[in-house]
Amino acid sequence: KAGVTQTPRYLIKTRGQQVTLSCSPISGHRSVSWYQQTPGQGLQFLFEYFSETQRNKGNFPGRFSGRQFSNSRSEMNVSTLELGDSALYLCASSRGPGQGFGAPEKLFFGSGTQLSVL
Amino acid sequence: LAKTTQPISMDSYEGQEVNITCSHNNIATNDYITWYQQFPSQGPRFIIQGYKTKVTNEVASLFIPADRKSSTLSLPRVSLSDTAVYYCLVGVNNAGNMLTFGGGTRLMVKP
């Protein structure tokens, strides 16, 4: 079974540009979440999608957006890039929908997209 | 969300058992404890999850005392390939996949 696939693996952009990152979840997984990882802030939750609907959103500005398609693939977009957006962007998938007071779902992460903003 | 506290770093040698303790004094009744492992330039990988007492799988053991205010991840006979950052998380399913990662513990295994 193929794992979570993120493309591209590396990306270099300049300030003010916009970028789109792609994530293909494990087959059968319907929940996709995105995380940003930087040396200073660590791993931070961006947003989560299930059945094309955003379920949760982290504390990031509106420049960060995402969407999920009917085949569960997801994209995230960052507009008007800033130097501080340089980070490893990670996508994770799970079966979903994850609700109630049971154990949190096991997340499967991709290898990430390393974004450098110059 | 319950806050977790872990040692920033630990050193060990090949073949030793490593125990990483995580403190979560404000853990809620319904919270589970989950550990992830992360290698450089890769996404985190689920290791183990538990609610109380002891859980063991092919990779590690998780010990949770009765008061559940802490937990210990035990890695038996570590090798160089176990060098990674280990994250302890506390939460329940109703938070969806909005996980809160702390700083983690950077484990260095030496030959």
Side-chain angles (χ1 to χ4, degrees):
Chain A
K1 208 175 196 183
V4 177
T5 304
Q6 291 189 246
T7 56
R9 186 73 178 92
Y10 301 94
L11 206 49
I12 299 176
K13 292 285 188 179
T14 57
R15 279 183 300 173
Q17 288 187 309
Q18 68 94 27
V19 67
T20 300
L21 312 181
S22 179
C23 172
S24 293
I26 290 173
S27 177
H29 284 191
R30 297 169 63 193
S31 175
V32 173
S33 49
W34 290 87
Y35 287 80
Q36 180 197 66
Q37 185 169 31
T38 61
Q41 298 298 318
L43 268 160
Q44 293 186 288
F45 173 82
L46 279 156
F47 25 67
E48 177 192 0
Y49 288 88
F50 176 77
S51 291
E52 303 177 63
T53 301
Q54 188 178 85
R55 296 183 64 217
N56 290 298
K57 189 177 191 305
N59 188 25
F60 278 82
R63 299 185 298 107
F64 292 81
S65 63
R67 60 177 175 169
Q68 186 180 34
F69 303 95
S70 58
N71 61 358
S72 295
R73 193 177 70 83
S74 177
E75 289 181 346
M76 69 162 282
N77 184 277
V78 187
S79 62
T80 319
L81 284 166
E82 300 177 0
L83 296 179
D85 297 332
S86 294
L88 179 66
Y89 289 88
L90 292 160
C91 166
S93 76
S94 69
R95 295 188 185 279
Q99 56 191 11
F101 290 98
E105 290 209 312
K106 181 177 174 179
L107 294 195
F108 294 82
F109 284 83
S111 295
T113 294
Q114 184 66 55
L115 172 64
S116 297
V117 182
L118 306 179
Chain B
L1 294 171
K3 178 177 165 58
T4 60
T5 303
Q6 305 173 232
I8 294 174
S9 64
M10 293 181 67
D11 288 343
S12 182
Y13 291 92
E14 282 190 293
Q16 289 188 330
E17 177 184 74
V18 170
N19 295 309
I20 305 175
T21 296
C22 178
S23 172
H24 27 80
N25 291 317
N26 297 323
I27 189 169
T29 302
N30 296 309
D31 283 343
Y32 283 72
I33 300 152
T34 310
W35 286 79
Y36 280 83
Q37 172 194 55
Q38 185 178 26
F39 299 113
S41 299
Q42 292 187 29
R45 182 176 74 109
F46 175 94
I47 301 176
I48 198 166
Q49 183 180 77
Y51 181 79
K52 62 180 179 180
T53 62
K54 177 184 174 183
V55 179
T56 298
N57 61 23
E58 65 280 2
V59 177
S61 294
L62 177 60
F63 297 93
I64 306 169
D67 67 5
R68 303 200 328 120
K69 292 184 183 299
S70 67
S71 59
T72 299
L73 173 72
S74 181
L75 305 172
R77 297 180 297 283
V78 294
S79 64
L80 296 177
S81 62
D82 292 315
T83 294
V85 178
Y86 293 82
Y87 295 96
C88 164
L89 293 85
V90 171
V92 295
N93 212 4
N94 65 359
N97 293 333
M98 186 173 63
L99 302 181
T100 299
F101 286 83
T105 297
R106 190 173 299 275
L107 173 66
M108 173 70 73
V109 180
K110 303 175 183 178

